[in-house]
Amino acid sequence: MEPVSFTTERLLIRPHDARDEDALLAACQDPEIGRWTDFPTPYERRHAAFYLRALVPRGWRDDTMYHFAVERRDDGDGTLVASVNVHRQADVWGIGYWTVAEHRGRGYATEAVGALARWAFTELGVQRLEWRAEAGNRGSWAVARRAGFTREGVLRAAQTGRDGLRDTWIGALLPGDVGLPFARPYSPAADDLQRS
């Protein structure tokens, strides 16, 4: 797929590119980003350069991951406020995001995640978008919840952290959750586990 950009009321959501290197490097010095992601620690310029010059283009070219920089539209100065992506492994589509520390708490990530989810449903034909985060990442869950995701449970020992295996929270957003039709019929199961 060719890289695309789109806007929301407050945001420009555009493909990450080389102009983001300094901002990406600065943002990823934040211990909270290092704590909750699998980014290298310490995060160095070579990591930002590799991400922007190799991983981002490869994801678009291979249709496996679409990375976006998030800017405020009213600034017009290209200030990075967040980063969002939608990615595919086998038949599972997921969403990932982080917010630059000084821009947290303003709803930018929630707005960008909501827009990206709608784009994934309408342009990519995604029928289920998964959110996953290390158990305990309440900030990530707050964004996902406000964007309409339903937390579905805990995957035990599903994530490898720096110091061993970690539990993972999992949730999902479906087209119907945001008022869009499913491309295929969907028949929700009855909750038989409650009765057994």
Short mmCIF file of all heavy atoms in Angstrom, two decimals, residues 103-153:
data_model
loop_
_atom_site.label_atom_id
_atom_site.label_comp_id
_atom_site.label_asym_id
_atom_site.label_seq_id
_atom_site.Cartn_x
_atom_site.Cartn_y
_atom_site.Cartn_z
N HIS A 103 2.79 15.72 26.11
CA HIS A 103 1.50 15.83 25.44
C HIS A 103 0.47 14.83 25.96
O HIS A 103 -0.63 14.73 25.42
CB HIS A 103 1.68 15.66 23.93
CG HIS A 103 2.56 16.72 23.33
ND1 HIS A 103 2.17 18.03 23.20
CD2 HIS A 103 3.84 16.66 22.88
CE1 HIS A 103 3.15 18.73 22.67
NE2 HIS A 103 4.17 17.92 22.47
N ARG A 104 0.81 14.12 27.02
CA ARG A 104 -0.13 13.15 27.60
C ARG A 104 -1.27 13.87 28.31
O ARG A 104 -1.14 15.00 28.77
CB ARG A 104 0.60 12.24 28.60
CG ARG A 104 1.53 11.30 27.91
CD ARG A 104 2.13 10.26 28.85
NE ARG A 104 3.12 9.50 28.12
CZ ARG A 104 4.38 9.34 28.50
NH1 ARG A 104 4.80 9.82 29.65
NH2 ARG A 104 5.22 8.67 27.74
N GLY A 105 -2.40 13.17 28.38
CA GLY A 105 -3.55 13.70 29.11
C GLY A 105 -4.41 14.66 28.32
O GLY A 105 -5.33 15.26 28.88
N ARG A 106 -4.18 14.81 27.05
CA ARG A 106 -4.95 15.74 26.22
C ARG A 106 -5.84 15.03 25.21
O ARG A 106 -6.49 15.66 24.40
CB ARG A 106 -4.00 16.69 25.48
CG ARG A 106 -3.18 17.52 26.45
CD ARG A 106 -2.24 18.44 25.74
NE ARG A 106 -1.42 19.13 26.73
CZ ARG A 106 -0.22 19.58 26.50
NH1 ARG A 106 0.32 19.44 25.30
NH2 ARG A 106 0.46 20.21 27.44
N GLY A 107 -5.81 13.69 25.23
CA GLY A 107 -6.68 12.91 24.36
C GLY A 107 -6.15 12.71 22.95
O GLY A 107 -6.86 12.19 22.09
N TYR A 108 -4.90 13.09 22.69
CA TYR A 108 -4.36 12.94 21.34
C TYR A 108 -4.28 11.47 20.93
O TYR A 108 -4.64 11.10 19.81
CB TYR A 108 -2.98 13.58 21.22
CG TYR A 108 -2.96 15.07 21.44
CD1 TYR A 108 -1.94 15.67 22.17
CD2 TYR A 108 -3.96 15.90 20.92
CE1 TYR A 108 -1.90 17.04 22.38
CE2 TYR A 108 -3.93 17.28 21.13
CZ TYR A 108 -2.90 17.84 21.86
OH TYR A 108 -2.87 19.19 22.07
N ALA A 109 -3.76 10.63 21.82
CA ALA A 109 -3.64 9.21 21.47
C ALA A 109 -5.01 8.59 21.24
O ALA A 109 -5.20 7.83 20.28
CB ALA A 109 -2.88 8.44 22.55
N THR A 110 -5.97 8.90 22.09
CA THR A 110 -7.32 8.36 21.91
C THR A 110 -7.91 8.78 20.57
O THR A 110 -8.48 7.96 19.84
CB THR A 110 -8.24 8.82 23.06
OG1 THR A 110 -7.70 8.36 24.30
CG2 THR A 110 -9.65 8.29 22.89
N GLU A 111 -7.76 10.04 20.22
CA GLU A 111 -8.29 10.55 18.95
C GLU A 111 -7.59 9.87 17.77
O GLU A 111 -8.25 9.46 16.80
CB GLU A 111 -8.07 12.06 18.90
CG GLU A 111 -8.76 12.77 17.76
CD GLU A 111 -8.65 14.28 17.87
OE1 GLU A 111 -8.65 14.82 19.00
OE2 GLU A 111 -8.57 14.92 16.80
N ALA A 112 -6.28 9.70 17.86
CA ALA A 112 -5.53 9.07 16.78
C ALA A 112 -5.86 7.59 16.67
O ALA A 112 -6.02 7.07 15.56
CB ALA A 112 -4.03 9.27 17.00
N VAL A 113 -5.98 6.90 17.80
CA VAL A 113 -6.31 5.47 17.78
C VAL A 113 -7.70 5.27 17.18
O VAL A 113 -7.91 4.37 16.36
CB VAL A 113 -6.21 4.86 19.19
CG1 VAL A 113 -6.89 3.51 19.28
CG2 VAL A 113 -4.74 4.75 19.61
N GLY A 114 -8.66 6.11 17.55
CA GLY A 114 -10.00 6.00 16.99
C GLY A 114 -10.01 6.20 15.49
O GLY A 114 -10.65 5.45 14.74
N ALA A 115 -9.27 7.20 15.02
CA ALA A 115 -9.20 7.46 13.58
C ALA A 115 -8.49 6.32 12.85
O ALA A 115 -8.92 5.90 11.77
CB ALA A 115 -8.49 8.78 13.33
N LEU A 116 -7.41 5.83 13.44
CA LEU A 116 -6.67 4.74 12.80
C LEU A 116 -7.51 3.47 12.74
O LEU A 116 -7.48 2.74 11.75
CB LEU A 116 -5.36 4.50 13.54
CG LEU A 116 -4.41 3.47 12.92
CD1 LEU A 116 -4.07 3.83 11.48
CD2 LEU A 116 -3.16 3.34 13.76
N ALA A 117 -8.28 3.21 13.79
CA ALA A 117 -9.15 2.03 13.80
C ALA A 117 -10.19 2.13 12.68
O ALA A 117 -10.40 1.16 11.93
CB ALA A 117 -9.83 1.89 15.15
N ARG A 118 -10.81 3.28 12.54
CA ARG A 118 -11.80 3.46 11.46
C ARG A 118 -11.14 3.27 10.09
O ARG A 118 -11.71 2.65 9.20
CB ARG A 118 -12.48 4.82 11.56
CG ARG A 118 -13.40 4.94 12.76
CD ARG A 118 -14.14 6.27 12.77
NE ARG A 118 -15.22 6.28 11.81
CZ ARG A 118 -16.42 5.74 11.99
NH1 ARG A 118 -16.70 5.14 13.12
NH2 ARG A 118 -17.34 5.80 11.06
N TRP A 119 -9.93 3.79 9.94
CA TRP A 119 -9.19 3.61 8.69
C TRP A 119 -8.92 2.12 8.44
O TRP A 119 -9.10 1.64 7.32
CB TRP A 119 -7.88 4.41 8.75
CG TRP A 119 -7.02 4.25 7.55
CD1 TRP A 119 -7.17 4.88 6.33
CD2 TRP A 119 -5.86 3.43 7.43
NE1 TRP A 119 -6.16 4.48 5.46
CE2 TRP A 119 -5.34 3.60 6.11
CE3 TRP A 119 -5.19 2.57 8.29
CZ2 TRP A 119 -4.20 2.93 5.66
CZ3 TRP A 119 -4.05 1.90 7.85
CH2 TRP A 119 -3.57 2.09 6.55
N ALA A 120 -8.51 1.41 9.47
CA ALA A 120 -8.22 -0.03 9.32
C ALA A 120 -9.48 -0.80 8.93
O ALA A 120 -9.44 -1.70 8.08
CB ALA A 120 -7.64 -0.59 10.62
N PHE A 121 -10.62 -0.44 9.52
CA PHE A 121 -11.87 -1.13 9.20
C PHE A 121 -12.33 -0.82 7.77
O PHE A 121 -12.76 -1.72 7.05
CB PHE A 121 -12.97 -0.75 10.18
CG PHE A 121 -12.75 -1.23 11.59
CD1 PHE A 121 -13.11 -0.43 12.66
CD2 PHE A 121 -12.20 -2.47 11.86
CE1 PHE A 121 -12.93 -0.87 13.97
CE2 PHE A 121 -12.00 -2.91 13.16
CZ PHE A 121 -12.37 -2.11 14.22
N THR A 122 -12.23 0.45 7.37
CA THR A 122 -12.79 0.84 6.07
C THR A 122 -11.83 0.64 4.91
O THR A 122 -12.24 0.28 3.81
CB THR A 122 -13.27 2.30 6.10
OG1 THR A 122 -12.16 3.15 6.43
CG2 THR A 122 -14.41 2.49 7.09
N GLU A 123 -10.54 0.86 5.13
CA GLU A 123 -9.57 0.79 4.03
C GLU A 123 -8.84 -0.55 3.94
O GLU A 123 -8.46 -0.96 2.86
CB GLU A 123 -8.55 1.93 4.15
CG GLU A 123 -9.16 3.30 4.08
CD GLU A 123 -9.91 3.55 2.79
OE1 GLU A 123 -9.41 3.17 1.71
OE2 GLU A 123 -11.02 4.11 2.85
N LEU A 124 -8.62 -1.20 5.08
CA LEU A 124 -7.87 -2.46 5.08
C LEU A 124 -8.78 -3.68 5.19
O LEU A 124 -8.33 -4.81 5.03
CB LEU A 124 -6.87 -2.50 6.24
CG LEU A 124 -5.82 -1.39 6.28
CD1 LEU A 124 -4.94 -1.53 7.52
CD2 LEU A 124 -4.98 -1.41 5.01
N GLY A 125 -10.06 -3.45 5.52
CA GLY A 125 -10.99 -4.56 5.67
C GLY A 125 -10.80 -5.36 6.95
O GLY A 125 -11.26 -6.49 7.06
N VAL A 126 -10.16 -4.75 7.94
CA VAL A 126 -9.96 -5.41 9.24
C VAL A 126 -11.32 -5.66 9.88
O VAL A 126 -12.20 -4.80 9.86
CB VAL A 126 -9.06 -4.53 10.14
CG1 VAL A 126 -8.99 -5.07 11.55
CG2 VAL A 126 -7.67 -4.41 9.53
N GLN A 127 -11.52 -6.84 10.47
CA GLN A 127 -12.78 -7.19 11.13
C GLN A 127 -12.63 -7.32 12.64
O GLN A 127 -13.62 -7.45 13.36
CB GLN A 127 -13.34 -8.48 10.55
CG GLN A 127 -13.79 -8.33 9.11
CD GLN A 127 -14.84 -7.25 8.96
OE1 GLN A 127 -15.96 -7.38 9.44
NE2 GLN A 127 -14.50 -6.15 8.31
N ARG A 128 -11.40 -7.31 13.13
CA ARG A 128 -11.13 -7.34 14.57
C ARG A 128 -9.77 -6.69 14.77
O ARG A 128 -8.79 -7.08 14.14
CB ARG A 128 -11.11 -8.77 15.09
CG ARG A 128 -10.70 -8.90 16.54
CD ARG A 128 -10.60 -10.38 16.96
NE ARG A 128 -9.87 -10.53 18.20
CZ ARG A 128 -10.38 -10.41 19.42
NH1 ARG A 128 -11.68 -10.17 19.56
NH2 ARG A 128 -9.63 -10.55 20.49
N LEU A 129 -9.72 -5.70 15.62
CA LEU A 129 -8.48 -4.99 15.91
C LEU A 129 -8.13 -5.24 17.38
O LEU A 129 -8.93 -4.91 18.25
CB LEU A 129 -8.65 -3.50 15.63
CG LEU A 129 -7.42 -2.63 15.64
CD1 LEU A 129 -6.39 -3.11 14.63
CD2 LEU A 129 -7.81 -1.19 15.35
N GLU A 130 -6.98 -5.85 17.63
CA GLU A 130 -6.60 -6.20 18.99
C GLU A 130 -5.69 -5.15 19.61
O GLU A 130 -4.80 -4.60 18.95
CB GLU A 130 -5.89 -7.55 19.04
CG GLU A 130 -6.81 -8.71 18.82
CD GLU A 130 -6.16 -10.05 19.10
OE1 GLU A 130 -4.94 -10.11 19.44
OE2 GLU A 130 -6.88 -11.06 18.96
N TRP A 131 -5.92 -4.92 20.88
CA TRP A 131 -5.03 -4.10 21.70
C TRP A 131 -4.40 -5.05 22.71
O TRP A 131 -5.09 -5.87 23.30
CB TRP A 131 -5.85 -3.03 22.44
CG TRP A 131 -5.15 -2.46 23.63
CD1 TRP A 131 -4.22 -1.46 23.64
CD2 TRP A 131 -5.33 -2.85 24.99
NE1 TRP A 131 -3.81 -1.22 24.92
CE2 TRP A 131 -4.47 -2.06 25.78
CE3 TRP A 131 -6.12 -3.81 25.63
CZ2 TRP A 131 -4.38 -2.18 27.16
CZ3 TRP A 131 -6.03 -3.94 27.00
CH2 TRP A 131 -5.18 -3.12 27.76
N ARG A 132 -3.10 -4.94 22.86
CA ARG A 132 -2.39 -5.73 23.87
C ARG A 132 -1.42 -4.80 24.59
O ARG A 132 -0.80 -3.94 23.97
CB ARG A 132 -1.60 -6.87 23.24
CG ARG A 132 -2.49 -7.93 22.62
CD ARG A 132 -1.66 -9.06 22.05
NE ARG A 132 -2.54 -10.02 21.37
CZ ARG A 132 -2.27 -11.31 21.27
NH1 ARG A 132 -1.17 -11.81 21.79
NH2 ARG A 132 -3.11 -12.11 20.65
N ALA A 133 -1.30 -5.02 25.88
CA ALA A 133 -0.35 -4.26 26.68
C ALA A 133 0.06 -5.11 27.86
O ALA A 133 -0.71 -5.97 28.32
CB ALA A 133 -0.97 -2.95 27.17
N GLU A 134 1.26 -4.87 28.35
CA GLU A 134 1.70 -5.58 29.54
C GLU A 134 0.70 -5.31 30.66
O GLU A 134 0.26 -4.17 30.85
CB GLU A 134 3.09 -5.13 29.95
CG GLU A 134 3.62 -5.88 31.14
CD GLU A 134 5.02 -5.46 31.53
OE1 GLU A 134 5.85 -5.21 30.63
OE2 GLU A 134 5.28 -5.38 32.74
N ALA A 135 0.31 -6.36 31.36
CA ALA A 135 -0.63 -6.20 32.49
C ALA A 135 -0.08 -5.13 33.42
O ALA A 135 1.09 -5.14 33.77
CB ALA A 135 -0.82 -7.52 33.20
N GLY A 136 -0.95 -4.21 33.79
CA GLY A 136 -0.57 -3.11 34.66
C GLY A 136 -0.39 -1.79 33.94
O GLY A 136 -0.29 -0.74 34.59
N ASN A 137 -0.37 -1.80 32.60
CA ASN A 137 -0.19 -0.56 31.86
C ASN A 137 -1.52 0.18 31.77
O ASN A 137 -2.23 0.14 30.77
CB ASN A 137 0.38 -0.85 30.47
CG ASN A 137 0.79 0.39 29.73
OD1 ASN A 137 0.38 1.50 30.05
ND2 ASN A 137 1.62 0.21 28.70
N ARG A 138 -1.85 0.86 32.85
CA ARG A 138 -3.14 1.54 32.96
C ARG A 138 -3.28 2.71 31.99
O ARG A 138 -4.38 3.01 31.53
CB ARG A 138 -3.37 1.98 34.39
CG ARG A 138 -3.42 0.80 35.33
CD ARG A 138 -3.95 1.13 36.72
NE ARG A 138 -3.83 0.00 37.60
CZ ARG A 138 -4.53 -1.11 37.55
NH1 ARG A 138 -5.44 -1.25 36.61
NH2 ARG A 138 -4.35 -2.09 38.41
N GLY A 139 -2.18 3.36 31.65
CA GLY A 139 -2.25 4.45 30.68
C GLY A 139 -2.67 3.96 29.31
O GLY A 139 -3.52 4.56 28.65
N SER A 140 -2.09 2.84 28.88
CA SER A 140 -2.47 2.26 27.59
C SER A 140 -3.93 1.82 27.61
O SER A 140 -4.67 2.04 26.64
CB SER A 140 -1.56 1.08 27.25
OG SER A 140 -1.90 0.56 25.98
N TRP A 141 -4.35 1.20 28.71
CA TRP A 141 -5.74 0.76 28.80
C TRP A 141 -6.69 1.94 28.77
O TRP A 141 -7.75 1.89 28.15
CB TRP A 141 -5.98 -0.10 30.03
CG TRP A 141 -7.44 -0.35 30.26
CD1 TRP A 141 -8.15 -0.06 31.38
CD2 TRP A 141 -8.39 -0.90 29.33
NE1 TRP A 141 -9.48 -0.39 31.20
CE2 TRP A 141 -9.65 -0.91 29.94
CE3 TRP A 141 -8.28 -1.38 28.03
CZ2 TRP A 141 -10.79 -1.38 29.31
CZ3 TRP A 141 -9.43 -1.83 27.39
CH2 TRP A 141 -10.66 -1.84 28.04
N ALA A 142 -6.33 3.05 29.42
CA ALA A 142 -7.21 4.22 29.42
C ALA A 142 -7.45 4.72 28.00
O ALA A 142 -8.58 5.06 27.62
CB ALA A 142 -6.62 5.32 30.29
N VAL A 143 -6.40 4.76 27.18
CA VAL A 143 -6.55 5.17 25.79
C VAL A 143 -7.43 4.19 25.03
O VAL A 143 -8.38 4.58 24.34
CB VAL A 143 -5.16 5.28 25.11
CG1 VAL A 143 -5.31 5.45 23.60
CG2 VAL A 143 -4.37 6.44 25.69
N ALA A 144 -7.14 2.90 25.16
CA ALA A 144 -7.91 1.88 24.44
C ALA A 144 -9.39 1.92 24.84
O ALA A 144 -10.28 1.87 23.98
CB ALA A 144 -7.32 0.50 24.69
N ARG A 145 -9.65 2.03 26.14
CA ARG A 145 -11.04 2.06 26.62
C ARG A 145 -11.78 3.26 26.05
O ARG A 145 -12.91 3.16 25.57
CB ARG A 145 -11.05 2.08 28.15
CG ARG A 145 -12.45 2.09 28.76
CD ARG A 145 -12.42 2.13 30.29
NE ARG A 145 -11.49 3.08 30.85
CZ ARG A 145 -11.70 4.40 30.95
NH1 ARG A 145 -12.83 4.92 30.49
NH2 ARG A 145 -10.79 5.19 31.46
N ARG A 146 -11.15 4.43 26.10
CA ARG A 146 -11.80 5.64 25.58
C ARG A 146 -12.01 5.55 24.07
O ARG A 146 -12.92 6.18 23.53
CB ARG A 146 -11.00 6.88 25.95
CG ARG A 146 -11.14 7.26 27.43
CD ARG A 146 -10.60 8.64 27.73
NE ARG A 146 -9.20 8.80 27.39
CZ ARG A 146 -8.19 8.61 28.21
NH1 ARG A 146 -8.39 8.21 29.45
NH2 ARG A 146 -6.95 8.80 27.80
N ALA A 147 -11.17 4.78 23.38
CA ALA A 147 -11.33 4.60 21.93
C ALA A 147 -12.37 3.54 21.59
O ALA A 147 -12.67 3.32 20.42
CB ALA A 147 -9.98 4.24 21.29
N GLY A 148 -12.93 2.88 22.61
CA GLY A 148 -14.02 1.93 22.38
C GLY A 148 -13.66 0.46 22.52
O GLY A 148 -14.52 -0.40 22.34
N PHE A 149 -12.42 0.14 22.84
CA PHE A 149 -12.01 -1.26 22.99
C PHE A 149 -12.65 -1.89 24.21
O PHE A 149 -12.92 -1.21 25.21
CB PHE A 149 -10.49 -1.36 23.13
CG PHE A 149 -9.74 -1.19 21.84
CD1 PHE A 149 -9.58 0.06 21.26
CD2 PHE A 149 -9.19 -2.29 21.20
CE1 PHE A 149 -8.90 0.22 20.07
CE2 PHE A 149 -8.50 -2.15 20.01
CZ PHE A 149 -8.35 -0.88 19.44
N THR A 150 -12.90 -3.18 24.12
CA THR A 150 -13.40 -3.99 25.24
C THR A 150 -12.25 -4.87 25.72
O THR A 150 -11.66 -5.60 24.91
CB THR A 150 -14.58 -4.88 24.80
OG1 THR A 150 -15.64 -4.02 24.38
CG2 THR A 150 -15.04 -5.78 25.92
N ARG A 151 -11.94 -4.77 27.00
CA ARG A 151 -10.88 -5.64 27.53
C ARG A 151 -11.45 -7.04 27.68
O ARG A 151 -12.49 -7.24 28.27
CB ARG A 151 -10.35 -5.12 28.87
CG ARG A 151 -9.01 -5.76 29.20
CD ARG A 151 -8.19 -4.96 30.14
NE ARG A 151 -8.65 -5.16 31.50
CZ ARG A 151 -8.21 -4.45 32.54
NH1 ARG A 151 -7.33 -3.49 32.36
NH2 ARG A 151 -8.67 -4.69 33.73
N GLU A 152 -10.75 -8.01 27.11
CA GLU A 152 -11.25 -9.38 27.05
C GLU A 152 -10.58 -10.32 28.03
O GLU A 152 -11.06 -11.42 28.24
CB GLU A 152 -11.08 -9.91 25.62
CG GLU A 152 -11.90 -9.12 24.62
CD GLU A 152 -11.70 -9.56 23.19
OE1 GLU A 152 -10.60 -10.06 22.86
OE2 GLU A 152 -12.63 -9.40 22.39
N GLY A 153 -9.47 -9.93 28.61
CA GLY A 153 -8.85 -10.81 29.59
C GLY A 153 -7.36 -10.65 29.70
O GLY A 153 -6.79 -9.64 29.29
#
